[in-house]
Amino acid sequence: MSNDALRMTGMALRAGRLEVGDEASGDACQYKRCRLLLLTSDAGEGAQRRAAYFADEGQCLLAELPCSKEELGAALGRKSCAMAAVTDLGLAQAIVQKLAQEEPEKYGEMAERLRLKAQRAAQRREKKERQQRGGGKRPPMKYKKK
C-alpha cells in the first residue's frame, strides 16, 4: 500500500474523522456517519463478514486495503488494526484517489463514485446557502388599503 494513503488515514485520525476498530466502525456505519469503510487484506473471516454487513447497513463503500493489520495499526499509532471507518467525504475521496493511482482497475470505480458523491454534496451545500441568503424566497406581498 502506498505511504500516501496510509498518511491520509493518519491525517483523518488526527482530524477526528476516523473511527478505529470493529465496534467504533460499526457504530459509525449504523448511524450513517461512515463514508468509507477500510478493511485490511489479512483481516479474519469474521471481520470480513462484519465489515460487509456494516457497509451494507450504513450504505457506505467498503475498500480492502493492500496492507496488513500491523501496517495500518502503525499508521494509526496502534499495535494493529483491521477495520476503520472514515466519516469525512473529502478525506475518504482523497484516500481512494491515492489507492486508485496505484491500482486503477481495483479502486477506479470507487474513486469515481466518491467523486460524484462529493459533487452532489457540494451542489446541496450551495443550494442551502442560497436559500439562507434569501435567494429562494419570494418577496413579501403588499396589500392595498381600501
Side-chain angles (χ1 to χ4, degrees):
M1 181 175 169
S2 74
N3 286 334
D4 292 338
L6 283 175
R7 277 192 220 117
M8 291 300 295
T9 56
M11 187 185 331
L13 179 67
R14 289 188 298 279
R17 304 293 187 202
L18 187 76
E19 300 292 334
V20 181
D22 290 1
E23 286 186 30
S25 298
D27 289 344
C29 290
Q30 180 182 1
Y31 294 115
K32 308 271 194 270
R33 290 184 292 125
C34 180
R35 302 292 174 246
L36 177 68
L37 189 61
L38 303 172
L39 183 70
T40 59
S41 59
D42 65 343
E45 192 176 312
Q48 290 176 356
R49 279 195 313 269
R50 280 192 304 278
Y53 174 75
F54 291 156
D56 186 45
E57 181 183 17
Q59 298 170 353
C60 63
L61 297 174
L62 174 63
E64 185 175 319
L65 300 175
C67 68
S68 67
K69 293 187 280 191
E70 288 76 23
E71 290 172 332
L72 182 60
L76 301 177
R78 289 173 166 66
K79 186 175 178 182
S80 71
C81 174
M83 190 183 309
V86 182
T87 59
D88 183 72
L89 187 58
L91 286 169
Q93 185 181 9
I95 291 169
V96 172
Q97 282 178 350
K98 299 289 184 191
L99 292 170
Q101 287 175 355
E102 289 187 9
E103 297 182 52
E105 64 280 347
K106 186 174 181 180
Y107 299 104
E109 181 184 341
M110 192 178 299
E112 181 63 22
R113 287 180 65 186
L114 282 172
R115 187 189 66 77
L116 289 174
K117 278 187 173 190
Q119 187 178 19
R120 287 194 303 261
Q123 289 172 350
R124 285 191 305 268
R125 193 170 34 252
E126 182 181 313
K127 183 179 177 183
K128 186 176 181 180
E129 287 173 359
R130 269 186 284 150
Q131 287 177 346
Q132 287 177 347
R133 285 189 305 234
K137 295 182 181 178
R138 292 188 298 189
M141 302 261 316
K142 293 185 179 179
Y143 295 101
K144 294 180 186 178
K145 291 185 178 179
K146 291 185 181 180

